[in-house]
Amino acid sequence: MVFDMNFDGKTVIITGGSKGIGKAMAKKFSEYGANVVVADLDEEKGKKLASEIDGVFIGCDVSEKEQVDELVDKTVEKFGSLDVIVNNAGIGSMSTIEDMSHEEWKNIISVDLDGVMYGCKAAAPHLKKSEGCILNIASIYGLVGDVGATAYNAAKGGVVNLTRSVADDLAQYNVRVNSICPGFVRTPMTEEALGDDEFKSYVESMTPLGRVAEPEEIAEVAVFISSDKASYVTGVNLPVDGGWTSH
Ligand code: NAD
């Protein structure tokens, strides 16, 4: 058997692909030959990236089910099939249970958890045809808790177990479903927090490798786990976290 990381002729949707980890993944999948669909709220940055990687930008708010359905339909219309969906779009929050407003809870859950489920559901019929795969971007905060991350911890914990559940549902069709659980990564999402020296030191002290990750270090693993090289990997929530969850 020959296993490779070639994505020639394959179509990959990356939600939240305009910036940060999504952008790095869009570039990496493109390097490996994929037709990449960058799906995001940020049209300006998404269109610029899509033109650089010979991909396509489709505007989409993942918290709106109809928009996610439309994203998948338009992709299949354009490229004829769908091989991989990376449910990456997400937003952060930093509130304890006491500080958190009801609105914040609803907002985080609708983007970080509902949005992932909408992506899985819309893509499933097409992935059954292509024997493709789903990659969700969860977080170490889906595996462990921390102070001031109530809604985010809950949403990402939901993504972790959703990943297992959807993997079980779709295994009979040879559709693999996994998540990556990154530790802290240098992106627009974390720029402000990591600009605070005390917080940065906390993150480094919690990370056995002693540093935050670059987005490309997540993208390399994303391409591997979505490729034929990982053909027996499903239902896995893989920490890519410099060791954060090892202690
Ligand atoms: P980022 O803020 O740098 O980029 C996120 C992208 O998602 C942006 O382009 C934004 O426009 C888009 N987006 C936000 N809400 C959206 C919506 N409703 N619909 C469509 N697009 C939307 O974030 P990032 O750091 O690259 O994070 C990407 C994913 O990785 C998120 O799910 C995040 O929770 C997760 N993650 C990040 C870190 C980290 O340290 N950066 C760690 C663990 C997990």
Side-chain angles (χ1 to χ4, degrees):
M1 290 164 109
V2 178
F3 301 103
D4 62 31
M5 304 237 308
N6 189 350
F7 282 84
D8 279 346
K10 293 195 174 176
T11 301
V12 180
I13 292 176
I14 301 173
T15 69
S18 294
K19 296 194 280 285
I21 297 170
K23 179 178 177 181
M25 291 191 291
K27 285 183 167 174
K28 195 55 68 180
F29 274 105
S30 170
E31 273 174 33
Y32 281 92
N35 306 314
V36 174
V37 176
V38 175
D40 208 295
L41 291 172
D42 189 332
E43 185 173 332
E44 196 189 325
K45 288 203 165 61
K47 280 190 167 162
K48 185 168 178 287
L49 174 65
S51 75
E52 282 166 21
I53 62 173
D54 207 11
V56 169
F57 173 81
I58 298 178
C60 176
D61 179 345
V62 298
S63 68
E64 297 289 337
K65 182 183 180 303
E66 294 71 25
Q67 293 191 29
V68 179
D69 289 346
E70 206 176 304
L71 162 68
V72 171
D73 288 348
K74 279 187 183 163
T75 299
V76 173
E77 221 169 85
K78 173 145 183 67
F79 293 107
S81 65
L82 175 64
D83 297 281
V84 181
I85 185 162
V86 185
N87 294 304
N88 163 76
I91 50 175
S93 78
M94 294 178 80
S95 301
T96 64
I97 185 71
E98 290 181 290
D99 298 339
M100 186 184 66
S101 68
H102 185 62
E103 197 182 34
E104 182 177 357
W105 169 265
K106 299 286 260 187
N107 191 29
I108 296 291
I109 298 294
S110 73
V111 177
D112 291 359
L113 180 55
D114 295 350
V116 173
M117 183 273 287
Y118 297 150
C120 293
K121 194 165 172 59
H126 303 286
L127 298 175
K128 283 163 71 175
K129 290 186 200 150
S130 61
E131 299 194 346
C133 70
I134 295 173
L135 175 61
N136 297 327
I137 304 301
S139 169
I140 49 170
Y141 281 173
L143 300 171
V144 297
D146 206 347
V147 174
T150 313
Y152 191 78
N153 276 154
K156 294 296 186 179
V159 172
V160 162
N161 221 23
L162 175 75
T163 299
R164 298 189 184 106
S165 170
V166 180
D168 288 346
D169 287 342
L170 300 182
Q172 61 185 307
Y173 306 109
N174 202 27
V175 173
R176 299 183 301 107
V177 184
N178 296 292
S179 91
I180 289 176
C181 300
F184 276 82
V185 186
R186 200 184 312 279
T187 69
M189 180 188 274
T190 55
E191 199 176 359
E192 195 185 330
L194 291 172
D196 179 296
D197 286 344
E198 200 181 321
F199 185 74
K200 186 159 175 276
S201 298
Y202 164 69
V203 168
E204 287 166 354
S205 72
M206 289 292 285
T207 311
L209 286 184
R211 62 176 178 84
V212 299
E214 297 303 325
E216 292 72 23
E217 295 181 281
I218 311 302
E220 290 287 352
V221 181
V223 171
F224 163 73
I225 209 168
S226 306
S227 78
D228 287 349
K229 278 197 186 290
S231 57
Y232 205 57
V233 180
T234 197
V236 161
N237 293 289
L238 179 67
V240 181
D241 65 354
W244 184 295
T245 52
S246 67
H247 58 98

